[in-house]
Amino acid sequence: MKKYQASIKIMLKSGILDVQGKTVENSLHSIGFNSMKNVRIGKFVQLEIDASTSEQANELVKSACEKLIANPIIEDYEIQIEEIN
């Protein structure tokens, strides 16, 4: 078995109201950062996984995202896999 590190970026799907992002955007405007807009807040998850190949690691992480880590109804996610020692 090889060891891999998975990095998962999770964001609300476009069209889903990002209340946190809107709050941060309004706060930025109130302190003078008026050029900043369309603020979106997401999540970043990093984990290690033992797998035979990077493809197997990716499939395992994808399954975990679909079942627990992300909410596929309202969130999109991107997975990056890299082998570690």
Side-chain angles (χ1 to χ4, degrees):
M1 285 279 173
K2 296 178 182 176
K3 187 174 282 196
Y4 296 92
Q5 180 173 321
S7 299
I8 309 158
K9 180 178 118 179
I10 304 165
M11 298 293 290
L12 286 171
K13 291 183 178 196
S14 61
I16 302 290
L17 177 63
D18 185 340
V19 176
Q20 277 185 301
K22 192 49 100 175
T23 300
V24 169
E25 181 179 327
N26 290 338
S27 296
L28 286 166
H29 292 173
S30 73
I31 60 172
F33 293 100
N34 296 316
S35 63
M36 297 181 183
K37 50 189 152 191
N38 299 321
V39 177
R40 309 275 298 167
I41 304 291
K43 298 182 272 187
F44 180 77
V45 178
Q46 194 169 57
L47 57 90
E48 291 182 8
I49 185 167
D50 295 325
S52 299
T53 65
S54 62
E55 292 81 13
Q56 181 190 33
N58 189 67
E59 285 303 313
L60 289 167
V61 173
K62 183 178 177 184
S63 180
C65 285
E66 293 289 323
K67 293 179 181 176
L68 178 69
I69 296 173
N71 180 346
I73 295 171
I74 62 168
E75 295 174 321
D76 289 324
Y77 59 88
E78 295 175 17
I79 301 169
Q80 289 186 334
I81 302 285
E82 61 184 79
E83 188 174 348
I84 57 175
N85 295 323

